[in-house]
Amino acid sequence: MAYLHCFLGFLLLAARLPLDAARRFHDVLSNERTSDYTREHSQLTGWSSDENEWNEKLYPVWRKEDPRWKNSWKGGHVQAILTSDSPALVGSTITFVVDLVFPRCQKEDVSGNIVYEKNCRNETDPSPDLYVYNWTEEGGWGNDHSQHHHHMFPDGKPFPHHPGWRRCSFVYVFHTLGQYLQKLGRGSARVSINTANVTLGPQLMEVIVYRRHHHVYVPIAKVKDVYVVTDHVPVFVTMYQKNDRNLSDETFLRDLPIMFSVLIHDPSHFLNESAINYKWNFGDNTGLFVSNNPTLNHTYVLNGTFSLNLTVQAAVPGPCPSPQPPEPTSPLSSAGDRPPELRATPEETCHINRYGYFKATITIVDGILEVNIIQMTDVVTPVPQPDKLLMDFVVTCQGIMPTEVCTIVSDPTCRISYNMVCDPVDVDTDDTCLLTVRRAFSGSGTYCMNLTLSDNTSLALTSTLVSVSARDPASPSRMANGALVSVGCLAVFVTVITLFVYKKHKEYKLVGNRTGIVLKGQGLNALLNHAKAIFCLGNQERDPLLKHQPGTV
């Protein structure tokens, strides 16, 4: 009997050998899945089950530590970069892109061959060859399809013979949710999937890339990345306030409107036909604001800390569910006891509501609300200095007293800067904001001057055109010619500099435990420090003066 049991076991083991020996897609692409993984997900359109067999003779499989990877590409290693437009709202389309990064001094030409870049020096001596891989001359891509059995994917399906397919020398295999998709391409490949039946939450996309090598293919790169499918509308919020010095700290000024702009992450335009409402609660007992406009202004009139809450509601149109057939009734039941029958016409459209949420904590403080230049006066010195003509500017402001005043002097077009000067402001007990700012000009002519008053949380600016003339020491001080301009056209110069430097520092900061993102930045404090380093090098004013009017702060 023992011999019989051994013999039966041997037969069972032998029967399983062909099944175990066959390499399958999930063996090649992932070792982190359970046997019932495929059954947990719905079929993706155009994708196949990773239970299918993999042609290992045509597409060899190398483990991560296999030494053959070192020689899979001439002159170095190819890196595959996988990106997606995740997160995706369930029902929308998510797109994945794989870009191949070739070793230094290598690129793909218009024919799909890999060539050395001209005038590019690598760590080694320049190659005398023009081509890294000349697949056009390699052969094996003739018109007689019956003689070229290698023109197929790992599962045995033939290559699609679309126009230009012979210039595609890379095979991409995408794998997710227990399914795979094969694609013939060049140095970049793109696929999209509809997420209507994708399980909510984080999912894994894996890609393996092969290159041509005569009548077989060689693996050159593997990459994977996590993407997210959610039933919440992905919401981003930007906050902007005039005179706010630092947009990254969620601290804003009292009595000035804050502009809130909602950005919905919808790269596939899934919500284009949806009715979207925005419900705001600013946390200051002003009530609930409902709008269909993604931009809204709100002014806080009290100092303190407030909780901002936004709910986005999107009514997504779609087909109505099929009506349920009526339950069978006995002949003795009356008509009034019959359940109602649902009827749907072809023109009928139903909606499903999707919601997105954003929360933030906002701090409101006092700040400088406005600045104006009310007077400009020539300053006559006992000894004339043609290259250092002084002028006094009388400045008023609304809000709290500034701690610093800065000026940028430029040409009449406000485009070419000459110098930037910043000085501290001594604050005394008087709350009246009235300053006299003395500045030196390098000679007579017309100048554009931008003036800013700032403290730790706010920065206000104004601009003016200044006409400076040569001075006669015998003549009394006179009012200077000038055109005072509020923040507007002549502030373009400062605005351009502000945006240029600010864009170099801004970043999106994910709000913890929130579904939204607030646009963040290093703020104008860093901007001014950077501008000082640039413009103070050309400063011709060695001893700029800042004085106060008698009886003023």
Side-chain angles (χ1 to χ4, degrees), residues 122-133:
N122 206 338
E123 296 178 357
T124 60
D125 294 333
S127 173
D129 299 328
L130 174 62
Y131 291 95
V132 182
Y133 293 103

Side-chain angles (χ1 to χ4, degrees), residues 421-447:
V421 179
C422 291
D423 295 290
V425 176
D426 295 328
V427 181
D428 54 27
T429 57
D430 195 339
D431 293 334
T432 305
C433 181
L434 182 64
L435 304 174
T436 298
V437 180
R438 178 167 292 181
R439 288 294 181 255
F441 295 84
S442 58
S444 60
T446 301
Y447 298 88

Side-chain angles (χ1 to χ4, degrees), residues 155-171:
D155 65 355
K157 294 179 181 178
F159 289 160
H161 291 171
H162 53 74
W165 73 276
R166 291 185 179 86
R167 294 194 294 271
C168 298
S169 300
F170 299 99
V171 174

Side-chain angles (χ1 to χ4, degrees), residues 62 67-78 133 135 209-213 218-221:
W62 299 345
R68 288 175 292 182
W69 282 105
K70 297 180 180 179
N71 300 317
S72 65
W73 191 270
K74 293 180 184 178
H77 295 280
V78 175
Y133 293 103
W135 286 307
V209 187
Y210 283 75
R211 67 167 174 86
R212 289 175 49 185
H213 182 65
V218 175
I220 60 172

